[in-house]
């Protein structure tokens, strides 16, 4: 019998976030009441964040296998074969709640956590991307100055935290995206994606084996920080008292993580390591129980041996601490000293705290007294699984009044300027220049230069492409279609650089899963992702679910963020968005062969969900554009073929802000200040033709000599290719049906676009 | 000819310097662990960028006490070539091998972008292959690159032609808007009086392959190789001359 200080009742369990049924389950597994430490172990491991208890039944519907997939969901990160005996290891993860409570450290430790997930598998991190969502930065009738100023502060802290951690660690932050909606005001989203490279035959897994093998604790000392980060912060809604949860946020030390990286990769080369797992959410508890469970073994640890930074820590605190920059590894008995030598070289703690056992139990001792004794499998794998009630999704926005198109005579120049200045469209230079996006000298296409980031793999001809996307507004209006767009846009962005999309990772950000309509959104989104991933052949290899993104009962838009990985066979074929040569032909590619003649009302409905409708008319209504996955697939094939055959000089997909913004961005990105002269024939409303966000489209440029080849390749791929103008040094001009609708000096437009974010942040 | 790249705990541009010298330039290069007290057989030492010892206390303040720095100092006093890049520059300042100090960037933010620097002096072992006034496009990536020193030191630097690089416009004009971090006199890099130790905030090792944005940094490494070759040929000639006929 395990002695316990206080009587553990259902009420005490409830304070730890366990329901009465969950508590009964704990009693049944143990055959007795749990000790306080055991209660803590169950409460974190069965929290939503760690157990996926609400999402599990739905996640099963995602496609997770493919010819290149080496490791799907269930390990620390997904693994994909990229040829030459190498694998890409990648995953995206959220750190939303901590980033609201303490933006700088919350975002920093989010980056730190995902980096450990990568190098714990034996891969050296080579790139990070961040997908961020904030509330509006400017005061408006719906947003008070207090709220706007808090949003600016959160953004500033989050960017600073990401930069602090990634820059010091020495991984380039090469891309990502930022969106703004009022629903993120009290619940910003910080999703960090990391990519690493390893040799396929040198991967490491978190599977303990070999009874008697030593369990070794390495890295930073354990403190009281972050206790219950996973269960209290990440698995509950926020109230007005949330700021008091600041002690639950961990503090990051990227220098320590850099040392841990080098030491871990070095120790892995000695052959002495059997298994390794980082101590992330739920710290020592999750790393020990998961390694034991996955290996079908048990683990016994002595807490008195755990390096501690504070005195008087209880077993409960040591087991639940989420102190950063720590790892747990299992070594080959007799080779401990090889492990100690490496960590000693790097000045890090490495202490044998226990051993692998055959009994399948997680046994925790404190000075020889048992404080927890639980079947490891029960903690890690037998958590509750809920089939929560699902209600049809209903968004008030979907039935809101639609945009009325401007009269045909309207002057759209002013609207265009306003659109370029909206934070969602404006240049993100102010953000990405704070990130070291070049360290490790692999960045072929960095932030702002392409639709996806491209990092080369030294000593091969290949490069990897990565893009993240996710439109919360569209998912709010129609979760399933919105989710399909997230997959399609990320894949399209990867293809625009010339790379072939091969796999995906997803971060699913939602409200409270105990609300049937939130679960309805979740279920729909899973179906949408599954369908699009199958159609575009990008299996999901991992990711993370973040529920309870609600403050004061108000949920965020359902926001699935997709990270798609692509392989570029020849890094020299990498394409950016910038126009390259004066006189080049500009071609609009349309996988859906344009003339999908929607009725007037459908056009209005899909236009009402666009960035333009929001920025110009303040409307969020209607539905996302209809999606045609075979059209997306054709366009992707076409873009890859055009790049591989070096037929084009630039490619940029049509997305936020529509065709006009796409064209302008290709001008802005060109170092020579190129402009574009465009002439289009259309039967659509003028605003729709210029600013609609219909999918499966991209703008490419090619030399006049290559134009015929471009058209031929497009035809082979069943993609419509329409020459619509040329690259010039003159004014930026878009003519519709013979009439100039947008005409301005390109430099004046660039100025607006380039400085809008700084203006909004008050940092000019 | 052998280059040595020092690895401090927290160095993170060590691999990049190694790649630039080894794979791109094709010269022999080795890593030197910060605890080693010897730097055997090295002809040039690079202190790479990064966050040595986390830059805790002050950038470079702890790294200067690493055992390897004693060897680097001896090497420098004997006339060996020492190039400090970014954090390496900060360490050279802390070690007193170069004068001055770094302040936080003018706008208090980390800045990573390509900038333009003008070659102010070609009579150093790091710029002898460049043209005077040549403008190089090289990236910066730092939080504390705002060079500062007292007026006497600045006058000394000017008088002894120790200012090697200044931030300029792409056309080579000195303008405040071209100075990314507020450095005094737009200083991007300086050398010692003996001209064998140079520190610079921009990263030439990130600018050695055109597909990554610029190959302008190559001229610095080529200058080092050229200067060492000349020196070696020279010392060989001396050796030969000293052999009785």
């Amino acid at each position: 019998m395990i002695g316990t200080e206080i009587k553990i009742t259902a009420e005490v369990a409830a304070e730890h976030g366990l329901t009465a049924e969950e508590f009964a389950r704990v009693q049944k597994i143990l055959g007795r009441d749990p000790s306080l430490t055991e209660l803590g172990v169950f409460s974190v491991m069965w929290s939503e964040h760690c157990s996926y208890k609400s999402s599990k039944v739905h996640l099963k519907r995602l496609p997770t296998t493919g010819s290149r997939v080496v490791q799907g969901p269930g390990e620390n990160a997904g693994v994909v074969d990229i040829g030459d005996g190498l694998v890409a290891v990648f995953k995206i993860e959220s750190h939303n709640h901590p980033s609201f409570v303490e933006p700088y450290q919350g975002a920093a430790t989010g980056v730190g956590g995902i980096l450990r997930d990568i190098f714990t598998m034996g891969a050296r991190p080579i790139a990070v991307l961040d997908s961020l969502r904030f509330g509006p930065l400017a005061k408006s009738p719906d947003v008070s100055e207090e709220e706007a100023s808090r949003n600016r502060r959160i953004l500033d802290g989050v960017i600073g935290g990401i930069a602090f951690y990634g820059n010091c660690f020495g991984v380039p932050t090469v891309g990502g995206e930022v969106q703004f909606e009022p629903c993120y005001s009290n619940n910003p989203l910080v999703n960090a994606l990391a990519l690493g490279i390893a040799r396929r035959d040198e991967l490491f897994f978190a599977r303990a084996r070999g009874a008697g093998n030593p369990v070794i604790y390495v890295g930073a000392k354990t403190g009281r920080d972050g206790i219950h980060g996973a269960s209290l912060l990440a698995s509950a809604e926020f109230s007005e008292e949330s700021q008091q949860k600041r002690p639950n946020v961990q503090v990051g030390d990227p220098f320590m993580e850099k040392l841990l990286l080098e030491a871990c990769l070095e120790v892995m080369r000695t052959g002495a390591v059997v298994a390794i797992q980082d101590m992330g959410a739920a710290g020592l508890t999750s790393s020990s129980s998961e390694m034991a469970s996955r290996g079908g073994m048990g683990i016994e640890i002595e807490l008195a041996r755990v390096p501690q930074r504070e005195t008087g820590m209880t077993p409960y605190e040591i087991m639940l601490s989420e102190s950063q920059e720590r790892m747990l590894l299992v070594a080959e008995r007799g080779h401990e000293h090889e492990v100690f030598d490496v960590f000693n070289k790097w000045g890090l703690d490495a202490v044998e705290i226990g051993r692998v056992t055959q009994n399948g139990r997680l046994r925790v001792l404190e000075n020889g007294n048992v404080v927890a004794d639980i079947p490891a499998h029960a903690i890690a794998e037998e958590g509750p699984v809920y089939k929560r009630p699902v209600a049809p999704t209903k968004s008030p926005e979907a039935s809101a009044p639609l945009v009325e198109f401007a009269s045909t005579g309207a002057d759209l120049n002013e609207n265009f300027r306003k659109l370029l200045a909206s934070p969602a469209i404006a240049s993100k230079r102010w953000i990405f220049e704070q990130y070291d996006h070049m360290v490790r000298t692999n960045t072929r296409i960095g932030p702002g230069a392409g639709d996806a980031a491209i990092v080369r793999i030294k000593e091969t001809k290949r490069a990897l492409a990565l893009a993240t996307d996710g439109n919360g507004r569209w998912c709010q209006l129609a979760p399933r279609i919105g989710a399909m767009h997230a997959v399609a846009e990320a894949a399209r962005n990867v293809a625009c650089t010339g790379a072939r999309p091969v796999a995906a990772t997803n971060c699913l950000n939602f409200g409270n899963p105990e609300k049937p309509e939130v679960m309805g959104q979740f279920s729909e989104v899973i179906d949408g992702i599954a369908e699009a991933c199958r159609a575009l052949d990008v299996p999901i290899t991992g990711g993370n679910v973040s529920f309870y993104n609600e403050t004061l009962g108000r949920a965020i838009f359902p926001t699935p963020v997709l990270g798609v990985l692509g392989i570029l066979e020849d890094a020299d074929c990498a394409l950016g968005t910038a126009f390259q040569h004066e006189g080049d032909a500009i071609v609009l590619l349309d996988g859906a062969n344009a003339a999908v003649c929607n009725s007037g009302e459908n056009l209005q409905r899909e236009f009402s969900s666009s960035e333009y409708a929001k920025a110009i008319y303040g409307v969020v209504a209607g539905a996302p554009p209809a999606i045609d996955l075979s059209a997306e697939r054709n366009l992707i094939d076409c873009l890859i073929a055009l790049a591989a055959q070096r037929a084009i000089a630039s490619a940029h997909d049509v997305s936020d802000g529509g065709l006009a913004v796409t064209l302008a961005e290709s001008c802005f990105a060109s170092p020579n200040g190129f402009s574009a002269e465009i002439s289009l024939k259309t039967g659509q409303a003028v605003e729709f033709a210029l600013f609609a966000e219909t999918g499966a489209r991209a703008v490419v440029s090619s030399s006049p000599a290559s134009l015929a080849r471009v058209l031929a390749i497009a035809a082979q791929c069943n993609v419509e290719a329409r020459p619509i103008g040329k690259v010039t040094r003159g004014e930026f001009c878009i003519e519709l049906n013979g009439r100039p609708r947008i005409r301005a000096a390109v430099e004046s437009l660039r100025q607006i676009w380039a400085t809008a974010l700084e203006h909004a942040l008050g940092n000019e | 000819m052998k280059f040595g790249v020092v690895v401090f705990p927290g160095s993170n541009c060590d691999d990049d310097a190694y790649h630039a010298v080894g794979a791109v330039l094709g010269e022999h290069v080795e890593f030197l662990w910060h605890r080693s007290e010897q730097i055997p057989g090295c002809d040039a030492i690079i202190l790479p960028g990064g966050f040595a010892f986390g830059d805790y206390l002050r950038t470079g303040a702890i790294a200067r006490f690493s055992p390897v720095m004693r060897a680097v100092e001896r090497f420098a006093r004997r006339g060996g070539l020492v190039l400090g890049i970014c954090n390496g520059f900060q360490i050279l300042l802390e070690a007193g091998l170069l004068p001055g100090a770094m302040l936080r960037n003018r706008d208090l933010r980390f800045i990573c972008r390509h900038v333009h620097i003008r070659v102010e002096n070609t009579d150093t072992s790091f710029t002898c292959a460049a043209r005077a006034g040549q403008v190089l496009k090289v990236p910066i990536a730092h939080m504390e690159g705002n060079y500062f020193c007292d007026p006497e030191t600045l006058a000394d630097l000017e008088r002894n032609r120790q200012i090697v690089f200044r931030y300029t416009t792409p056309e080579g004009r000195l303008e405040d808007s071209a100075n990314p971090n507020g450095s005094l006199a737009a200083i991007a890099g300086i050398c010692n009086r003996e001209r064998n130790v140079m520190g610079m905030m921009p990263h030439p090792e990130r600018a050695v392959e055109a597909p990554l944005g610029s190959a302008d940094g190559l001229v610095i490494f080529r200058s080092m190789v050229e200067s060492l070759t000349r020196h070696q040929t020279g010392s060989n000639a001396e050796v030969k001359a000293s052999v009785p006929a």
Side-chain angles (χ1 to χ4, degrees):
Chain A
M1 189 63 202
I2 297 172
T4 185
E5 313 81 330
I6 53 166
K7 166 91 182 141
I8 306 299
T9 61
E11 288 70 41
V12 178
E15 284 166 20
H16 282 73
L18 288 177
T19 65
E21 297 78 54
E22 288 167 353
F23 182 59
R25 198 182 168 101
V26 169
Q27 289 171 311
K28 188 160 170 251
I29 286 170
L30 294 175
R32 56 178 166 78
D33 283 343
S35 69
L36 182 63
T37 305
E38 288 171 334
L39 179 69
V41 166
F42 278 106
S43 79
V44 285
M45 290 303 289
W46 287 6
S47 69
E48 188 63 57
H49 184 80
C50 292
S51 73
Y52 293 84
K53 58 191 170 190
S54 303
S55 55
K56 235 175 199 170
V57 293
H58 298 284
L59 295 173
K60 283 189 189 135
R61 301 203 295 275
L62 294 172
T64 58
T65 55
S67 57
R68 286 187 182 271
V69 178
V70 177
Q71 176 66 54
E75 264 288 343
N76 285 299
V79 182
V80 172
D81 196 311
I82 54 170
D84 297 317
L86 298 173
V87 288
V89 178
F90 75 119
K91 189 169 127 176
I92 191 167
E93 207 166 74
S94 63
H95 228 219
N96 305 337
H97 293 87
S99 300
F100 176 56
V101 176
E102 214 310 284
Y104 189 91
Q105 288 297 342
T109 52
V111 173
I114 193 68
L115 288 170
R116 278 194 303 284
D117 280 339
I118 303 306
F119 69 79
T120 195
M121 299 197 71
R124 180 178 282 281
I126 60 162
V128 163
L129 287 85
D130 300 284
S131 179
L132 310 175
R133 303 290 182 273
F134 300 105
L137 303 177
K139 182 174 176 267
S140 71
D142 306 324
V143 181
S144 69
E145 175 50 32
E146 193 193 343
E147 184 179 332
S149 112
R150 189 179 55 220
N151 291 335
R152 295 195 294 269
R153 232 171 24 244
I154 291 173
L155 181 145
D156 195 50
V158 165
I159 304 302
I162 292 170
F164 158 69
Y165 210 99
N167 296 355
C168 179
F169 179 82
V171 65
T173 301
V174 295
E177 15 80 70
V178 192
Q179 298 289 335
F180 303 86
E181 297 289 348
C183 67
Y184 305 120
S185 259
N186 290 305
N187 203 121
L189 302 186
V190 176
N191 294 180
L193 187 162
L195 165 70
I197 296 278
R199 297 210 59 82
R200 184 173 177 156
D201 53 9
E202 291 173 3
L203 279 171
F204 279 80
F205 295 96
R207 295 167 201 161
R209 62 175 168 72
N213 274 337
V215 173
I216 300 176
Y217 172 114
V218 300
K221 292 182 180 12
T222 297
R224 289 193 171 92
D225 48 331
I227 292 173
H228 271 303
S231 49
L232 292 192
L233 265 183
S235 303
E237 291 177 34
F238 272 171
S239 64
E240 274 148 351
E241 289 83 45
S242 292
Q243 290 300 323
Q244 291 168 7
K245 291 183 176 174
R246 197 168 294 163
N248 295 99
V249 178
Q250 315 86 336
V251 177
D253 180 353
F255 169 60
M256 178 66 85
E257 179 117 321
K258 165 72 173 168
L259 302 184
L260 193 58
L261 161 78
E262 298 300 341
C264 284
L265 294 185
E266 195 171 321
V267 80
M268 286 166 174
R269 287 194 294 269
T270 64
V273 179
V274 171
I276 181 165
Q277 161 106 7
D278 78 299
M279 295 193 222
L284 194 50
T285 296
S286 65
S287 54
S288 56
S289 59
E290 285 175 9
M291 270 207 292
S293 169
R294 285 177 188 156
M297 302 299 283
I299 279 183
E300 182 175 296
I301 52 177
E302 168 54 72
L303 296 183
R305 300 186 61 85
V306 170
Q308 293 163 46
R309 130 158 66 85
E310 300 175 58
T311 53
M313 287 184 74
T314 65
Y316 178 97
E317 289 170 325
I318 297 170
M319 287 303 285
L320 267 58
S321 163
E322 291 188 7
S323 290
Q324 299 288 290
E325 293 95 21
R326 303 177 301 159
M327 294 267 194
L328 198 63
L329 63 83
V330 174
E332 207 79 63
R333 180 59 80 193
H335 293 261
E336 301 88 331
H337 284 286
E338 293 171 45
V339 175
F340 297 146
D341 287 349
V342 170
F343 283 90
N344 184 38
K345 172 188 163 189
W346 289 96
L348 295 176
D349 277 327
V351 179
E352 183 176 335
I353 62 163
R355 59 191 175 87
V356 177
T357 62
Q358 243 154 358
N359 61 18
R361 300 182 78 83
L362 173 66
R363 252 166 75 90
V364 182
L365 313 179
E366 188 198 31
N367 296 313
N369 302 316
V370 179
V371 292
D373 186 355
I374 315 171
H377 194 261
I379 319 170
E381 302 297 336
E382 292 168 26
V385 174
Y386 294 129
K387 220 173 158 184
R388 294 203 187 273
V390 168
T393 57
K394 49 175 195 296
S395 101
E397 291 87 353
S399 49
L402 302 179
V403 163
E404 294 295 333
F405 289 122
S407 66
T408 44
D411 176 8
L412 297 177
N413 278 299
E414 198 41 45
N415 286 359
F416 185 49
R417 288 199 181 88
K418 214 169 149 188
L419 184 61
L420 290 175
S422 78
I425 304 279
S427 166
K428 306 299 182 293
R429 187 184 52 83
W430 183 87
I431 292 174
F432 66 69
E433 281 192 354
Q434 296 187 52
Y435 303 149
D436 188 340
H437 48 267
M438 304 177 190
V439 63
R440 303 207 62 75
T441 58
N442 295 318
T443 311
R444 281 293 292 249
I445 294 188
D451 276 348
I454 295 270
V455 282
R456 68 169 174 185
I457 309 164
K458 286 196 183 100
E459 288 148 22
T460 77
K461 272 186 78 68
R462 292 198 178 88
L464 296 178
L466 265 170
T468 62
D469 280 294
N471 187 324
R473 210 165 54 234
W474 286 357
C475 291
Q476 171 76 355
L477 294 166
R480 194 161 152 272
I481 296 173
M484 289 160 78
H485 274 294
V487 178
E489 186 177 351
R492 197 193 314 137
N493 279 332
V494 163
C496 276
T497 63
R500 161 79 60 192
V502 295
T505 180
N506 60 5
C507 200
L508 307 170
N509 307 278
F510 286 80
N512 182 345
E514 293 154 46
K515 293 181 182 168
E517 56 278 26
V518 169
M519 272 325 282
Q521 292 171 334
F522 188 79
S523 176
E524 292 267 302
V525 160
I526 291 293
D527 287 337
I529 292 174
E531 185 177 345
C533 284
R534 280 201 182 89
L536 302 179
D537 212 4
V538 282
I540 298 283
T541 60
N544 152 248
V545 179
S546 171
F547 279 126
Y548 297 100
N549 288 288
E550 300 201 3
T551 300
L552 304 174
R554 188 174 164 206
I556 57 160
F557 287 170
T559 313
V561 172
L562 267 291
V564 168
L565 175 78
I567 298 176
L568 183 60
E569 289 299 331
D570 181 354
D572 287 333
C573 290
L575 286 172
T577 55
F579 291 141
Q580 297 290 323
H581 312 284
E582 190 178 356
D584 273 3
I586 298 172
V587 179
L588 176 62
L589 301 177
D590 190 335
N593 295 314
V596 188
C597 277
N598 280 320
S599 71
E601 207 215 314
N602 275 342
L603 293 191
Q604 238 183 311
R605 278 175 59 78
E606 73 170 74
F607 195 66
S608 299
S609 70
S610 66
E611 192 61 42
Y612 181 89
K614 185 187 152 201
I616 307 302
Y617 295 111
V619 169
V620 174
I627 187 154
D628 177 346
L629 290 170
S630 62
E632 295 284 357
R633 186 161 187 139
N634 289 345
L635 178 69
I636 287 169
D637 288 340
C638 177
L639 287 163
I640 294 166
L642 289 169
Q645 298 181 39
R646 298 181 191 239
I648 54 176
S650 72
H652 189 11
D653 82 316
V654 178
S655 59
D656 297 349
L659 179 61
V661 167
T662 300
L663 289 162
E665 286 175 343
S666 287
C667 296
F668 301 157
S670 78
N672 305 311
F674 287 138
S675 186
E677 203 176 286
I678 303 295
S679 173
L680 277 169
K681 294 241 176 304
T682 177
Q684 296 158 337
V686 179
E687 285 172 301
F688 189 91
L690 291 174
F691 306 115
E693 295 167 358
T694 318
R697 295 186 299 161
V699 168
V700 300
S701 65
S702 82
S703 70
S706 299
L707 181 57
R709 209 147 54 93
V710 172
L711 302 183
I713 292 168
Q716 278 164 20
C717 298
N718 201 19
V719 166
E720 188 196 59
R722 258 197 302 169
I724 56 171
K726 62 175 194 278
V727 178
T728 71
R729 284 187 185 275
E731 279 192 314
F732 183 80
C733 179
I734 304 179
E735 198 181 271
L736 289 184
N737 301 331
R739 183 172 161 200
R741 304 309 306 235
I742 292 175
R743 183 193 279 269
V746 72
E747 183 51 28
S748 73
L749 297 175
R750 202 191 64 79
Q751 273 298 326
I752 294 168
W753 170 85
T755 56
L757 189 60
E758 274 169 273
H759 281 290
L761 290 165
N763 281 314
E764 60 264 59
Chain B
M1 190 178 306
K2 189 165 104 184
F3 281 72
V5 175
V6 175
V7 181
F8 297 100
S11 293
N12 63 30
C13 304
D14 44 352
D15 284 346
D16 303 353
Y18 188 96
H19 174 77
V21 174
V24 180
L25 219 62
E27 294 295 333
H28 184 195
V29 56
E30 280 177 15
F31 287 122
L32 301 169
W33 184 235
H34 74 114
R35 281 190 189 145
S36 60
E37 306 201 11
Q38 304 291 325
I39 43 176
C42 283
D43 299 292
I45 300 293
I46 297 177
L47 304 184
F51 291 69
F53 294 93
D55 276 348
Y56 294 138
L57 189 58
R58 235 181 11 256
T59 55
I62 304 174
R64 66 156 294 201
F65 292 108
S66 279
V68 75
M69 284 307 291
R70 286 197 290 275
V72 170
E73 276 171 47
R74 284 196 303 273
F75 179 75
R77 269 201 302 276
R78 288 202 316 266
L81 296 192
V82 179
L83 169 62
I85 302 168
C86 197
N87 194 223
F89 186 7
Q90 294 163 340
I91 295 167
L92 289 174
L93 294 174
E94 285 287 338
L97 287 169
L98 291 172
M102 288 297 170
L103 306 177
R104 278 208 153 188
N105 294 344
R106 180 163 49 186
D107 67 358
L108 306 179
R109 291 180 190 283
F110 190 96
I111 310 169
C112 175
R113 65 162 178 260
H114 276 95
V115 298
H116 293 88
I117 54 173
R118 191 176 68 194
V119 180
E120 303 291 282
N121 277 296
T122 54
D123 57 342
T124 77
S125 299
F126 309 92
T127 49
C128 55
R131 280 177 289 107
Q134 186 177 347
V135 178
L136 311 177
K137 181 186 168 195
V138 183
I140 55 166
H142 59 247
M143 175 75 98
E144 288 169 35
N146 181 354
Y147 181 81
F148 185 77
C149 62
D150 58 37
E152 296 74 37
T153 307
L154 182 61
D156 267 1
L157 289 174
E158 300 269 12
R159 192 170 43 246
N160 300 317
R161 295 174 302 104
Q162 286 171 251
I163 299 171
V164 187
F165 299 111
R166 279 196 167 95
Y167 299 108
T168 65
T169 66
E171 299 76 30
R173 280 194 313 278
L174 275 171
E175 276 178 21
D176 191 51
S177 63
N179 182 343
N181 51 28
S183 281
L184 187 70
I187 287 172
I190 56 172
C191 66
N192 60 351
R193 271 191 208 195
E194 296 73 25
R195 317 188 86 68
N196 64 316
V197 177
M198 181 175 84
M200 61 189 296
M201 286 315 290
H203 286 270
E205 84 285 11
R206 295 186 184 187
V208 292
E209 295 163 282
L212 297 188
S214 168
D216 289 357
L218 266 180
V219 75
I220 292 163
F221 298 106
R222 289 219 172 103
S223 296
M224 293 171 79
V225 172
E226 214 169 89
S227 151
L228 286 168
T229 312
R230 217 182 306 134
H231 185 249
Q232 281 181 348
T233 328
S235 40
N236 285 346
E238 277 166 36
V239 172
K240 275 175 200 153
S242 69
V243 177

